Amino acid sequence: DVAVDSGEFDKVIRESLGELSEELTKSLASAREIIRLFENRQEEEAYSKLAMLLDSVRVFFTIFSEDLGWVDDPDAQMSLKDSSDVLERALSQLIAAQENRFWVSICDVLEYEIVPILEAWQKVAEKTKSTAAG
């Protein structure tokens, strides 16, 4: 037997956007934890968590690259369109820093490039969710 639940479309969308926002919050916390780990010279654990964070960023990028009716925040420091260019540049910097094992550069890219992108995506998800609720 297969049981299928159905619900109101708007409710399902709001719940999905809520889950997306929660995952973005977790990724923001993870980025800050990675920076702390590098600063405390716990490089092995930091690199492991960095790999997981980059997997999440890849998934988020795929989601936010789709035209799903995202509501951009007009007061945001970065639009969805801008975030892809910034992310591409940040990932190039991150790869170079990783190859050279420059953890200070990794921390800078995380703090000043990746975290703002995650924050912008979170604002878009929240703005879209609030628009869907209204």
Side-chain angles (χ1 to χ4, degrees):
D1 292 335
V2 174
V4 176
D5 289 332
S6 64
E8 293 180 36
F9 183 71
D10 290 349
K11 181 181 177 188
V12 172
I13 294 298
R14 281 191 307 275
E15 288 174 1
S16 296
L17 288 169
E19 290 173 9
L20 177 60
S21 185
E22 286 177 31
E23 290 304 316
L24 285 160
T25 298
K26 289 178 187 174
S27 291
L28 283 163
S30 177
R32 292 178 179 112
E33 172 71 4
I34 292 165
I35 292 167
R36 187 191 63 75
L37 288 168
F38 275 121
E39 288 172 346
N40 292 328
R41 304 284 199 254
Q42 295 172 308
E43 292 181 30
E44 189 172 319
E45 186 178 353
Y47 280 115
S48 175
K49 287 186 183 282
L50 180 59
M52 290 186 287
L53 175 65
L54 292 177
D55 282 342
S56 295
V57 168
R58 180 185 50 79
V59 171
F60 295 139
F61 176 75
T62 301
I63 292 168
F64 287 105
S65 293
E66 294 294 322
D67 185 10
L68 302 174
W70 298 113
V71 179
D72 241 340
D73 184 356
D75 298 328
Q77 293 179 0
M78 183 184 319
S79 71
L80 275 180
K81 182 185 173 299
D82 295 339
S83 69
S84 70
D85 294 337
V86 173
L87 181 62
E88 185 177 331
R89 186 177 62 245
L91 291 176
S92 295
Q93 293 172 347
L94 198 57
I95 289 167
Q98 273 186 287
E99 287 174 350
N100 294 310
R101 295 282 196 186
F102 293 148
W103 67 264
V104 173
S105 295
I106 293 170
C107 292
D108 284 349
V109 172
L110 284 174
E111 186 172 357
Y112 300 111
E113 305 287 339
I114 302 294
V115 165
I117 292 168
L118 292 171
E119 289 172 341
W121 286 343
Q122 188 171 41
K123 286 179 183 174
V124 167
E126 287 297 322
K127 186 84 170 167
T128 304
K129 181 181 172 188
S130 68
T131 301

